[in-house]
Amino acid sequence: EKSLKLALGGFPKSSPFSALRVSHFLWPDQSIQLKTFRPRYGIRCAAIAPGYLQTEMTAAMRPEILDKITAQVPLKRLGLMSEIASTVSFIINNDFVNGKIIEVDGGLRV
């Protein structure tokens, strides 16, 4: 419920992030449908649910807002784009991953 509230409210200048968070709640139904239907065609389905990331948008935020965001993450830091890229690589290179949402969020949704 807290995540949904965050998704709908977000932070200042965070519309793209809020939209991404809302999509996290909508995706599971699609993932379940695709993982059962597509494998017979050789198509796998997986998704990445990123947490807060170091981006140009977060770099432009006021330090006090960024501190509040970082404080919510159990690892006490923002994620890196390279960590998302590693997850994409894992999904692509592992042919047995199918129908999963991999959360790369520093433990935010634990």
Side-chain angles (χ1 to χ4, degrees):
E1 184 176 309
K2 180 181 177 185
S3 294
L4 181 57
K5 185 177 177 184
L6 249 180
L8 297 175
F11 291 97
K13 300 181 182 179
S14 67
S15 296
F17 179 77
S18 295
L20 182 65
R21 294 287 291 197
V22 169
S23 72
H24 173 71
F25 291 96
L26 302 177
W27 176 259
D29 292 336
Q30 294 295 326
S31 180
I32 291 168
Q33 291 172 3
L34 291 174
K35 80 177 178 184
T36 57
F37 177 72
R38 300 291 181 211
R40 66 180 163 195
Y41 300 108
I43 300 171
R44 295 179 298 118
C45 173
I48 298 171
Y52 297 108
L53 301 172
Q54 287 182 7
T55 63
E56 290 179 13
M57 183 181 80
T58 56
M61 290 180 168
R62 293 191 322 252
E64 60 272 9
I65 293 175
L66 200 53
D67 289 343
K68 286 181 182 180
I69 291 171
T70 305
Q72 295 177 25
V73 181
L75 292 181
K76 302 298 181 209
R77 67 177 183 85
L78 300 179
L80 304 174
M81 294 305 292
S82 61
E83 292 166 326
I84 300 300
S86 291
T87 307
V88 170
S89 178
F90 170 76
I91 292 169
I92 291 170
N93 292 313
N94 187 329
D95 287 337
F96 210 59
V97 173
N98 184 39
K100 294 296 175 192
I101 299 172
I102 300 174
E103 295 176 348
V104 184
D105 62 4
L108 186 62
R109 287 183 275 276
V110 171

